[in-house]
Amino acid sequence: MKNNDRKMQIIKAADKRFARHGFHKTNMDEIARDIRIGKPTLYYYFESKDALYIEVIKWEFENYLEVVNQIFSNDEHSIENRFEEYFIKKDSVRNDFKLIFEIIVQFIAERTTEAETELLKEYLTKEEEIIKKVLVYFYKDKIKAVSKSLPYSVVMLSWMIAVGRKVSSQLNSEKEFLTLENIQEIINALLD
C-alpha cells in the first residue's frame, strides 16, 4: 500500500472514531485496531493523536468545501436554487461532517482549542471566498461591487441556521425553525 493510501486509510478510520466517541474517548490503539495495523504505524504517519485529529478536521473541511463547490458549480440550477441547496445542506452537516459541526458548537460555547479555532477561521474564510465568487458573478451587471461583509454574513447566517435548527429540534420538536419557505424568503431578499 502506498504511503498516501495508508495515510488516508488512517484519517478515515480516525474520522469515524472521533465522530462517534469524541477526541478524548478515542485512543490510537482503537484506530490502529480498526484498520488492522500496529500503533507504531500510526505514529509513523502522525506524531500524536492531536496531529491526527487536526488532519481529520482538515480532511472533513476539504470534503465539505468540495460539496459547497459542487452545489454552486451546478449550472443546471438557478442561482436561487443553488443557494437554497446550500442552506439546506447545512442541515446535513451535523450528520455528514460531524466533527465540523461539533467544532462550530464548541466554538460557540468557547471550548475550542487554539488549533481548532485557527482551522475554523481558515476554512470559514475559504467558504466565504466561494460565496463571494458566486455573489460577484451574480451581481456583476447589477452593481459595481459586492459589499465585503455580504459573503461573510451569508456564511455566518448559514451556520447559525444549522445550529439553530439543531437547538430548536432538541428544545421543541413541535415547532420548525426556519421552514424551507423561510429560507427561500431569505434567499430572495439576498438576491433581489
Side-chain angles (χ1 to χ4, degrees):
M1 182 176 283
K2 294 180 189 175
N3 277 352
N4 285 343
D5 293 342
R6 175 66 76 194
K7 189 173 183 178
M8 188 50 58
Q9 182 186 30
I10 294 168
I11 288 171
K12 288 178 180 179
D15 182 53
K16 289 178 184 175
R17 279 277 171 190
F18 290 135
R20 191 176 324 129
H21 303 292
F23 176 79
H24 296 292
K25 291 183 180 177
T26 297
N27 65 54
M28 297 293 263
D29 290 321
E30 295 166 333
I31 295 167
R33 194 170 38 249
D34 287 347
I35 53 178
R36 296 181 178 97
I37 62 172
K39 191 170 156 183
T41 303
L42 286 180
Y43 286 106
Y44 172 80
Y45 291 98
F46 303 97
E47 66 185 37
S48 66
K49 184 170 90 167
D50 290 338
L52 174 56
Y53 180 69
I54 293 300
E55 285 302 312
V56 169
I57 294 169
K58 287 179 183 178
W59 179 74
E60 269 203 14
F61 267 120
E62 290 297 331
N63 287 325
Y64 166 73
L65 290 178
E66 180 59 33
V67 169
V68 172
N69 269 317
Q70 288 173 0
I71 289 169
F72 285 109
S73 297
N74 187 346
D75 293 333
E76 294 177 11
H77 292 133
S78 68
I79 194 74
E80 292 85 359
N81 291 117
R82 292 180 217 181
F83 271 103
E84 183 180 311
E85 187 176 348
Y86 168 70
F87 278 97
I88 291 170
K89 183 64 184 169
K90 292 290 173 135
D91 268 344
S92 65
V93 169
R94 69 177 176 252
N95 296 319
D96 297 344
F97 303 99
K98 290 179 181 179
L99 295 178
I100 295 172
F101 191 81
E102 185 60 29
I103 288 173
I104 296 282
V105 170
Q106 292 301 318
F107 181 78
I108 292 167
E110 299 179 351
R111 288 189 275 189
T112 52
T113 65
E114 186 177 327
E116 289 170 327
T117 301
E118 289 306 311
L119 280 175
L120 184 59
K121 287 178 185 177
E122 175 186 341
Y123 282 97
L124 290 180
T125 299
K126 289 180 180 184
E127 184 175 355
E128 180 184 346
E129 289 167 6
I130 294 168
I131 300 302
K132 181 179 179 182
K133 287 179 190 174
V134 173
L135 291 173
V136 165
Y137 179 78
F138 177 76
Y139 285 120
K140 71 179 178 201
D141 297 328
K142 299 174 183 172
I143 58 175
K144 288 184 180 181
V146 171
S147 161
K148 290 181 180 183
S149 65
L150 184 58
Y152 176 77
S153 298
V154 170
V155 170
M156 290 300 111
L157 177 62
S158 70
W159 283 108
M160 285 188 278
I161 289 171
V163 172
R165 289 174 75 95
K166 173 69 173 171
V167 170
S168 177
S169 71
Q170 291 179 330
L171 291 176
N172 190 341
S173 61
E174 296 174 15
K175 293 182 181 177
E176 185 176 5
F177 175 77
L178 284 179
T179 64
L180 181 56
E181 184 178 296
N182 297 139
I183 291 172
Q184 289 169 335
E185 290 170 359
I186 291 168
I187 294 165
N188 289 338
L190 170 70
L191 300 176
D192 276 344

